[in-house]
Amino acid sequence: MSETILEVQKLKKYFPIKGGILNQTTAEVQAVDVIDFVVARGETLGIVGESGCGKSTTARLLMQLIKHDDGEIIFDGYAVGKSGGITTREMRKRMQMVFQDSYSSLNPRLPVESSIAFGPIVHGVNKSAAQKKARDLLIKVGLNPELFSRRYPHELSGGQRQRVNIARALALEPEVLILDEAVSALDKSVEAQVLNLLMDLKAEFKLTFIFISHDLNVVHYISDRVLVMYLGRVVEIGDVSAVYNYPKHPYTRALISAMPSMDPKKRTEAVPLVGDPPNPISPPSGCRFRTRCPFSEDICAIKEPILIHTDLKKRQSSACHMGDPDSGHSRTNLNGLPK
Amino acid sequence: MSIQNKNSGNKKTVKRKEPLISIENLEVKFINQDATIHAVNGVDINLDKGKVLTILGESGSGKSVTMRSILRLLPPKASLSGSIVLDGKNIIDMSQDQLSSMRGHEVSMIFQEPMVAFDPVYKVGSQIAETVVRHLGTSFNEGLARAKELFDLVQIPSAKSRLSAYPHELSGGMRQRAMIALALACSPKLLLADEPTTALDATVQIQILLLLRELQRELGMSIIFVTHDVGVATEIADELAVMYAGKIVEIGNVNNVIKKPAHPYTRGLLSSTVNSESKGKRLEVIGGSPPDMSKLFEGCAFSPRCNKVLEHCWGQKPTVKSLSINQRASCFNI
Ligand SMILES: Nc1ncnc2c1ncn2[C@@H]1O[C@H](COP(=O)(O)OP(=O)(O)O)[C@@H](O)[C@H]1O
Ligand SMILES: Nc1ncnc2c1ncn2[C@@H]1O[C@H](COP(=O)(O)OP(=O)(O)O)[C@@H](O)[C@H]1O
Ligand SMILES: [Mg+2]
Ligand SMILES: [Mg+2]
């Protein structure tokens, strides 16, 4: 068993946009544009960023629901889909995913018990053992099997459906759970219940989480480390307390200042960032954030910044020329930036 | 709700102003063949000129129906009772003509989805101009000039060229600004904002909230702002109303309600909301599920989920109790 459960190397996915009378590719969406990261066994890695930055594409690539153009996914030391590596089928048994839309991820014509038992049956578990497993899992996710096992998805509330989805994802006893906006559609009172449930399940089954959300408060709460994406790239990654308290990349800073205040006496006074995120079809050259960055200089349009460690203990990295003394940017001390 | 200014010298001479809008005992039911949905169950609101009231509540609590009632934009199957008095006129008694001259003129509304407000086949500038022509009787060119003024007001860069864009050609944040411009075209006294930032990214959401705050102060209008997000409510509200199962369970100055919530639902909602201090702690949650709006509750609708529930909460409706001149809640525990 390795310490690193998942490693992503130079992962890339462009979506072709077809058009014209010949239906040829007229442009490409650079959804995930060469990203690297590792996930340690037992940790929760949060992924944040604004809509369209490539979070869901990353998740779907990890699950191999879509094929990557380039790069490699290494699960527990084995390259996925490579000879001498691990097959997609084997990997999916050990890594499962929960989606935001609790409704469309369950078969509407199956009672929830059968939905949960489906995976184990496909993987060769006999029917009665799979059904028993399904009922046990319903208990684990806080739903009484006497009341819920025969129900259909439409007979459940959003929170209950999401609990069923979590049970379904756990049925194959995975080691890694990818949660893509899994609590985002829930009301706050229900979201809190599901977050508590996820923390309990993680401890009980020694799970590793990849927790994707646009909600920075929730990611801060649940994650050990956090990865910040902007237009298909990783701009910052590190320990959650370091990234939230000492964000190094100007985008991370803006994102954190944009979180609404929870204190009426300390409201946000200035807009942290102007404009909308640009289009991933023709992203800016060099640093993709430069068109919205208050510290942008000529070098930012010419050279693409790479992720470099910003602390000696290597717990935080950011991709910004201001973090690299040799970059040619006039500011070099990230810590000295005006707030 | 009107809150007297604490600093005003002689209390006895302070006369209670007429509120801009006064809603009393608003009830809205949707009568379907198989069930009746009790969407709004006795809402009272008094809002002064130049104030922002935020209604905070989870989905299905009746926020949008309350807003649509003010504009009388409900489907025919909706049965509505109570009174809604705007500047001395009861909206419930208005004729269709009176309603259409009020909508978009004295009262206008912005939504989560700006495409609801715009017709996709016309340029945004001419749609705003048309609204001005219709309500203020100006020429089309004067309407266009007003549209340009409004685009500047809502801080749309290169306003002039953006006026001739079609709605889908604008980015999410720009479309939201354009919708605000449309809503402000005839200088409404009251702006109804139904989750206008919910679909936006964080960095764009805060831009829109700050813009609305600035416009509200500059133009001196009143706003009723609906949201399910505590942080958003905190950023925009003067007064905060918390809604549960079609009723306002607590209302008061935003600082009081956020810092010293009194109703068990308000407390539960705030403790369920993850914030920067939550890390490392288990979240204190409200048990159970949101209420079934097809059942009319005899007592307090929060009883099944309340950790302070008393015997009589099930059968009797709690009355409104004042905690201070700045805060009121409906709960037997107060
Ligand atoms: N199947 C697809 N075809 C074309 N473009 C896509 C497809 N899936 C996603 N995209 C585009 O890729 C970008 C990243 O999308 P996504 O990964 O869903 O972002 P996020 O989850 O961060 O909101 C977006 O611009 C999106 O429109
Ligand atoms: N046109 C309608 N017909 C039937 N029920 C409706 C209609 N509009 C809203 N409702 C119901 O009224 C209740 C309150 O809805 P709404 O005001 O939209 O809630 P929210 O607080 O989420 O804005 C919900 O139970 C909703 O399903
Ligand atoms: Mg997504
Ligand atoms: Mg609504």
Side-chain angles (χ1 to χ4, degrees), chain A residues 4-13 32 35-39 57-88 91-92 95 176 178 210:
Chain A
T4 297
I5 183 99
L6 189 69
E7 184 167 354
V8 168
Q9 292 175 353
K10 304 206 166 12
L11 197 64
K12 181 180 145 186
K13 179 71 189 180
V32 169
I35 64 171
D36 296 80
F37 61 90
V38 297
V39 185
T57 303
T58 303
R60 288 159 68 214
L61 289 171
L62 291 178
M63 288 301 294
Q64 292 287 287
L65 300 174
I66 47 175
K67 195 77 193 113
H68 47 284
D69 302 340
D70 222 335
E72 206 153 10
I73 300 164
I74 299 162
F75 189 91
D76 200 18
Y78 297 98
V80 177
K82 293 276 167 75
S83 67
I86 183 175
T87 63
T88 300
M91 182 206 62
R92 282 199 198 136
M95 182 157 75
V176 181
I178 302 177
I210 297 174

Side-chain angles (χ1 to χ4, degrees), chain A residues 15 29 31 50-57 60 280:
Chain A
F15 291 107
V29 181
E50 292 173 286
S51 60
C53 70
K55 305 182 295 296
S56 294
T57 303
R60 288 159 68 214

Side-chain angles (χ1 to χ4, degrees), chain A residues 100-131:
Chain A
Q100 165 164 3
D101 186 351
S102 62
Y103 207 85
S104 69
S105 33
L106 290 171
N107 185 336
R109 283 181 296 275
L110 283 186
V112 299
E113 183 191 281
S114 309
S115 277
I116 300 169
F118 186 78
I121 290 171
V122 168
H123 279 85
V125 175
N126 78 49
K127 200 173 169 199
S128 69
Q131 281 169 344

Side-chain angles (χ1 to χ4, degrees), chain B residues 63-64 194-195 226:
Chain B
K63 306 181 298 294
S64 295
D194 192 354
E195 311 234 18
V226 156

Side-chain angles (χ1 to χ4, degrees), chain A residues 129-282:
Chain A
Q131 281 169 344
K132 165 142 191 353
K133 169 128 214 139
R135 285 193 295 274
D136 289 346
L137 279 165
L138 280 171
I139 296 172
K140 293 278 185 225
V141 297
L143 297 174
N144 180 350
E146 303 291 317
L147 292 175
F148 288 97
S149 61
R150 308 302 311 159
R151 287 206 198 168
Y152 289 86
H154 72 267
E155 297 173 307
L156 304 176
S157 70
Q160 289 163 345
R161 269 199 304 272
Q162 209 52 312
R163 287 173 192 265
V164 171
N165 272 309
I166 293 167
R168 184 190 51 78
L170 293 177
L172 292 169
E173 298 174 20
E175 291 147 71
V176 181
L177 204 56
I178 302 177
L179 299 135
D180 187 4
E181 306 276 4
V183 297
S184 303
L186 304 177
D187 272 319
K188 286 293 156 186
S189 67
V190 180
E191 177 187 87
Q193 295 173 355
V194 176
L195 286 173
N196 279 345
L197 170 69
L198 286 171
M199 299 292 252
D200 292 344
L201 293 170
K202 180 169 186 244
E204 180 171 354
F205 297 112
K206 302 196 169 46
L207 296 167
T208 303
F209 282 171
I210 297 174
F211 189 94
I212 297 171
S213 175
H214 67 281
D215 185 329
L216 276 99
N217 277 313
V218 171
V219 168
H220 177 248
Y221 176 71
I222 202 161
S223 307
D224 301 304
R225 287 191 313 132
V226 61
L227 183 159
V228 185
M229 285 186 84
Y230 188 79
L231 281 184
R233 299 235 167 103
V234 178
V235 297
E236 184 153 3
I237 183 168
D239 285 1
V240 77
S241 63
V243 173
Y244 276 67
N245 294 321
Y246 309 101
K248 293 297 191 296
H249 197 283
Y251 177 63
T252 315
R253 282 170 178 257
L255 208 52
I256 287 169
S257 332
M259 289 162 75
S261 164
M262 297 276 179
D263 181 348
K265 295 249 156 98
K266 290 181 198 144
R267 287 181 175 179
T268 307
E269 287 307 327
V271 165
L273 201 58
V274 294
D276 295 73
N279 191 330
I281 294 173
S282 47

Side-chain angles (χ1 to χ4, degrees), chain B residues 30 32 37 39 58-66 75 77 194 293:
Chain B
F30 294 101
N32 299 320
I37 306 289
E58 294 181 277
S59 60
S61 58
K63 306 181 298 294
S64 295
V65 172
T66 302
K77 67 171 175 183
D194 192 354
M293 304 295 275

Side-chain angles (χ1 to χ4, degrees), chain B residues 144-160:
Chain B
L144 267 184
R146 172 76 180 141
K148 161 81 173 58
E149 223 174 84
L150 288 158
F151 265 37
D152 288 334
L153 185 71
V154 300
Q155 297 158 22
I156 294 182
S158 357
K160 207 153 182 186

